[in-house]
Amino acid sequence: MNNIKFNNRDPVYVQVVRHFKEQIATGMLEPGKEIPSRRELANKLKINPNTAQRAYKEMEEEGLIYTERNLPSRITKDEQVLGGVREELILQAVDSFVSSIRSINVPVDEVLSLVKEKYAAEDKN
Amino acid sequence: MIEVKDITKKFGRRKVLNGVSFTANKGEITCLIGINGVGKTTILNAIMNLTPINSGHILINGEKIKKESYEKITFIPDAITMLPQMRIAEAMGFMNDFYDCWNQERATELLGFFKLKESERISDLSKGNTAKVNLLLGLAMDVDYILMDEPFSGIDIFSREQIANVFTSHLIEDRGVIITTHEISDIEHLIDKVVLLDNGNVLKEFNAEEVRENENKSVVDVMREVFKA
Amino acid sequence: MNRYLKLVNFEFNRIAKVYFVLLAILLISQIAGVIFSSKNYLNETNRMIYEELIPKAEYLSRYGPMSMDQVLSSIWFIGPMALCVALVAFYIFLIWYRDWFGKNTFIYRLLMLPTARLNVFLAKITTILLMTFGFVAFQLILYPIESTILKWMVPKEFRVDLSVHELISSSGFLELNIIFPNSIIEFILNYGAGFVAVTILFTAIMFERSYRIKGILLGIGYSILAVIIFFAPIIIQEFLQRYYLYPSEILIVEVAMGIIVTCCSIWVSNYLLKKKIRI
């Protein structure tokens, strides 16, 4: 787990959950993988243990992690949830991209071809 | 829970605390913030019965402070509370002699954590290391509450980082912490509760995460609003 | 070990270095004093008898024999004793103020110990007593050693051997009688009065530490009041010019007054330490 640069205005627990989702979507955190305890997480991310607790509670509610009795929590293996995470992240990114590109008034075809070009250029590198 | 209820304090004619009330819970980090001399230290001294208050009262787990309370609550002032001629080992020995709640195992762990040598004399330590020893002496006690007065002031950046790490580590466990500071940016993500003080009054008491969640504001945003008003 | 005894041990250790250095000074200076005084006497005697040709008997009757009281009057002997007395007197104040001032803030620690704060007070007063009795005992042990040195240096016919008692009553120093009383009763009375005085001073310091500038006045006021109460039986008799009590009865009343004043001081100090003391 890498360090996160937190912003000061969003709740820290929300930022932690987002961080987990990104890691799940990119495959850094595999389904069924054990996750650190709340104390370890707090220590790694330099956040308040209560906030780490809150983030885990949120993730548990969303079904992203599960806990069997007294064992450490793990990333869910539920394909549906995992797919949902990926979709959610993509949608969020597209949403913010669209809202910023909208303000410049660019036709959608032009944007799409530019995006394709960029993708191709980056793949070469 | 530590309850501070409507306390006032005068030094001569000067009113330092003007009816201050707030609570600090076990398992939470409560931060007292004021821009400048607004009696933050006086509040901590008053909680520990190190200075008499003129009115109001202070309860720790529902009781007034008594001698046994010092096994349950401790205070780390901004200067070291041991004699400068002592070696770190001697200072630890003193604590072990007098406090039943002293945890030698944890003290040894903290020595490693802070990279301190037992044989060093307190008077020979750098400012940062003195602050660390001071912190060690308080953290190695198995107490419910720890009060810290400006643990980050006047020390180098690396020591600050090390000290900040304490707050997220198991060393704090589920204890209640009250910390005073005038520089919030280092610890914004570490604290639960903020008590903003000015002129001996509590201007606002809020949960940092709730403010971010409900109002999308940072702690500093709230401070700007409150202190400008 | 209870926390009071631990505190006494701790307080004594804090001054131990200075204290033992002073004992060493006392030892060295007094023994040097014995040697110098004896040498001087012998040189003078030799000069008188062998150069001025004064007969031994006449010399002895004119100048007298050598004894410890000549040593006693030298700066070598009385100087270090005065130094010890001064240290104790000074330390009565320093034992408190050193915890508030300086680089450390040790008073925080002392006031946050999980024990009655009065134990800190009692430990400090015990330390002062230990220092005082330590000096007296050391001086009493030292005396026979010094007498023996004198015996080695000066032949029997030229010296008079004095016991501590004889020495003190023959010397011109009345003050020595206070330090080395003649009887157990006197000992208890002298040091008892000293103890009462120290508790009053400590209480005055507690007033000052609680109320600062106002506290100085309160402290002085308390001290005056305590002294008046202590001497009240004597003052009343003198004032009325009526002497109801025999001197032995006065003594008993004074002891009682001493106990009352001490209890009072300790009670007031306890209150101040618990409720009013300021960091």
Side-chain angles (χ1 to χ4, degrees):
Chain A
M1 189 138 323
N2 305 320
N3 267 337
I4 319 177
K5 186 83 192 110
F6 290 108
N7 73 60
N8 294 335
R9 294 202 170 86
D10 291 321
V12 177
Y13 85 91
V14 172
Q15 298 182 61
V16 173
V17 172
R18 193 185 301 145
H19 178 74
F20 267 88
K21 285 179 176 169
E22 279 166 11
Q23 298 234 313
I24 291 170
T26 54
M28 302 272 279
L29 280 174
E30 289 155 15
K33 196 179 171 190
E34 200 176 288
I35 56 168
S37 72
R38 81 177 175 116
R39 181 70 63 185
E40 285 164 346
L41 180 74
N43 206 348
K44 269 183 192 151
L45 301 182
K46 311 289 169 229
I47 55 169
N48 187 307
N50 294 330
T51 309
Q53 172 73 28
R54 177 91 193 270
Y56 278 0
K57 199 177 151 230
E58 191 73 19
M59 291 201 291
E60 194 129 3
E61 278 167 12
E62 289 187 34
L64 285 170
I65 57 170
Y66 68 96
T67 315
E68 277 170 352
R69 269 165 297 149
N70 288 332
L71 296 168
S73 302
R74 290 172 184 281
I75 301 290
T76 183
K77 292 172 188 161
D78 186 331
E79 294 292 338
Q80 209 179 334
V81 175
L82 292 170
V85 168
R86 201 175 110 86
E87 210 163 293
E88 186 191 333
L89 284 178
I90 296 170
L91 272 177
Q92 266 180 15
V94 171
D95 276 350
S96 72
F97 174 72
V98 168
S99 73
S100 61
I101 211 83
R102 263 270 156 81
S103 59
I104 331 177
N105 266 335
V106 197
V108 68
D109 292 338
E110 192 186 340
V111 172
L112 282 178
S113 67
L114 270 172
V115 168
K116 276 178 190 158
E117 257 174 56
K118 257 284 190 242
Y119 254 76
E122 283 205 354
D123 281 346
K124 262 180 211 160
N125 288 336
Chain B
M1 186 166 63
I2 297 176
E3 296 162 85
V4 174
K5 289 185 188 165
D6 204 24
I7 59 169
T8 61
K9 171 74 187 172
K10 281 187 271 183
F11 284 122
R13 287 210 189 109
R14 199 164 55 90
K15 267 197 175 173
V16 184
L17 301 178
N18 209 346
V20 167
S21 302
F22 67 92
T23 58
N25 294 317
K26 195 160 179 265
E28 284 189 358
I29 300 171
T30 303
C31 189
L32 306 184
I33 309 177
I35 295 183
N36 36 34
V38 287
K40 289 171 296 203
T41 306
T42 308
I43 293 171
L44 299 190
N45 283 337
I47 294 173
M48 298 305 286
N49 188 24
L50 296 171
T51 195
I53 50 176
N54 296 104
S55 67
H57 54 268
I58 296 164
L59 300 176
I60 298 159
N61 289 340
E63 285 181 358
K64 280 196 170 173
I65 197 160
K66 50 183 196 271
K67 61 176 191 277
E68 292 82 9
S69 310
Y70 296 110
E71 297 271 17
K72 295 264 168 241
I73 179 169
T74 196
F75 177 30
I76 306 171
D78 63 349
I80 192 154
T81 57
M82 280 289 161
L83 304 178
Q85 65 268 28
M86 280 179 162
R87 294 177 192 282
I88 295 176
E90 289 173 286
M92 283 164 55
F94 181 94
M95 299 299 283
N96 194 26
D97 272 353
F98 283 95
Y99 292 93
D100 293 336
C101 63
W102 177 256
N103 183 333
Q104 185 63 35
E105 221 170 281
R106 184 180 296 161
T108 313
E109 192 189 339
L110 277 157
L111 275 179
F113 190 89
F114 287 137
K115 298 182 178 64
L116 294 164
K117 275 205 275 322
E118 261 191 315
S119 57
E120 279 180 293
R121 223 176 262 283
I122 289 171
S123 54
D124 295 341
L125 296 173
S126 69
K127 235 177 163 185
N129 279 350
T130 310
K132 285 179 215 164
V133 172
N134 201 17
L135 213 58
L136 180 153
L137 296 174
L139 290 172
M141 291 162 85
D142 281 332
V143 289
D144 294 341
Y145 299 100
I146 303 182
L147 316 185
M148 302 184 197
D149 195 12
E150 300 270 0
F152 298 101
S153 77
I155 50 175
D156 61 279
I157 175 127
F158 300 111
S159 300
R160 285 160 79 113
E161 272 177 13
Q162 261 186 321
I163 291 171
N165 283 349
V166 166
F167 287 89
T168 58
S169 74
H170 65 286
L171 296 163
I172 289 289
E173 296 286 349
D174 291 311
R175 308 195 258 198
V177 177
I178 301 182
I179 168 174
T180 68
T181 186
H182 58 269
E183 204 0 81
I184 181 76
S185 55
D186 278 358
I187 53 170
E188 227 184 306
H189 298 128
L190 302 181
I191 57 181
D192 292 280
K193 195 182 211 179
V194 179
V195 179
L196 294 181
L197 292 154
D198 194 30
N199 276 326
N201 293 298
V202 174
L203 297 185
K204 200 175 166 93
E205 182 181 356
F206 62 96
N207 182 295
E209 196 74 337
E210 275 169 21
V211 159
R212 286 190 280 255
E213 170 117 63
N214 302 334
E215 303 173 39
N216 210 26
K217 283 177 193 156
S218 72
V219 174
V220 177
D221 290 337
V222 179
M223 284 174 68
R224 266 197 210 103
E225 279 170 26
V226 168
F227 287 120
K228 253 184 201 157
Chain C
M1 202 169 36
N2 75 29
R3 291 193 175 95
Y4 160 74
L5 289 176
K6 283 180 194 165
L7 276 170
V8 172
N9 176 48
F10 178 77
E11 284 289 350
F12 189 78
N13 283 337
R14 285 174 83 184
I15 187 74
K17 246 186 223 164
V18 176
Y19 188 71
F20 289 120
V21 165
L22 216 58
L23 287 186
I25 291 173
L26 189 79
L27 175 88
I28 293 165
S29 174
Q30 289 199 345
I31 287 176
V34 173
I35 294 169
F36 288 152
S37 305
S38 305
K39 271 249 165 75
N40 279 347
Y41 180 84
L42 288 178
N43 287 346
E44 185 67 9
T45 309
N46 281 337
R47 201 177 60 81
M48 286 297 202
I49 293 172
Y50 296 105
E51 286 172 28
E52 314 258 329
L53 298 170
I54 298 171
K56 225 189 248 181
E58 196 191 327
Y59 174 79
L60 274 174
S61 70
R62 206 193 293 173
Y63 297 103
M66 173 72 184
S67 71
M68 276 303 281
D69 67 345
Q70 267 152 290
V71 180
L72 186 99
S73 55
S74 78
I75 188 77
W76 293 96
F77 197 95
I78 211 82
M81 282 174 79
L83 209 61
C84 293
V85 172
L87 172 80
V88 172
F90 182 59
Y91 202 59
I92 288 172
F93 293 92
L94 195 68
I95 201 171
W96 284 107
Y97 286 100
R98 68 185 298 186
D99 288 335
W100 263 273
F101 300 116
K103 260 208 297 190
N104 71 92
T105 42
F106 196 63
I107 192 63
Y108 277 96
R109 191 83 278 146
L110 289 180
L111 295 181
M112 292 194 294
L113 290 177
T115 180
R117 287 178 180 174
L118 189 63
N119 278 337
V120 173
F121 180 95
L122 295 176
K124 284 185 189 291
I125 215 163
T126 309
T127 305
I128 298 287
L129 289 181
L130 281 177
M131 286 169 71
T132 311
F133 290 133
F135 278 136
V136 173
F138 189 68
Q139 182 65 72
L140 288 177
I141 295 167
L142 211 50
Y143 183 77
I145 298 170
E146 290 160 357
S147 290
T148 311
I149 294 172
L150 190 85
K151 275 182 203 165
W152 288 341
M153 295 194 62
V154 183
K156 183 137 192 48
E157 48 203 331
F158 288 105
R159 68 162 204 264
V160 177
D161 294 331
L162 297 175
S163 70
V164 179
H165 255 226
E166 293 161 333
L167 173 76
I168 290 162
S169 43
S170 75
S171 79
F173 292 105
L174 272 174
E175 294 83 355
L176 280 183
N177 237 322
I178 298 170
I179 298 177
F180 305 104
N182 282 318
S183 65
I184 297 282
I185 299 266
E186 239 180 276
F187 182 87
I188 293 171
L189 289 182
N190 289 357
Y191 284 95
F195 179 71
V196 175
V198 176
T199 52
I200 293 172
L201 277 176
F202 268 27
T203 309
I205 294 169
M206 291 301 97
F207 269 112
E208 192 280 329
R209 286 290 86 195
S210 297
Y211 301 101
R212 303 293 146 96
I213 293 171
K214 233 197 300 172
I216 296 176
L217 298 177
L218 287 168
I220 292 170
Y222 177 82
S223 305
I224 292 170
L225 190 72
V227 170
I228 290 173
I229 291 172
F230 184 61
F231 288 113
I234 297 171
I235 295 169
I236 291 169
Q237 283 206 356
E238 291 295 328
F239 185 72
L240 296 176
Q241 289 291 311
R242 280 216 165 127
Y243 301 93
Y244 300 103
L245 299 171
Y246 292 112
S248 64
E249 288 172 334
I250 275 278
L251 200 68
I252 292 166
V253 174
E254 274 307 313
V255 170
M257 292 314 283
I259 292 170
I260 290 170
V261 170
T262 303
C263 289
C264 225
S265 297
I266 291 176
W267 186 83
V268 170
S269 295
N270 185 38
Y271 170 78
L272 292 171
L273 274 166
K274 260 168 102 171
K275 307 265 179 183
K276 298 292 175 195
I277 201 86
R278 237 199 257 173
I279 219 65

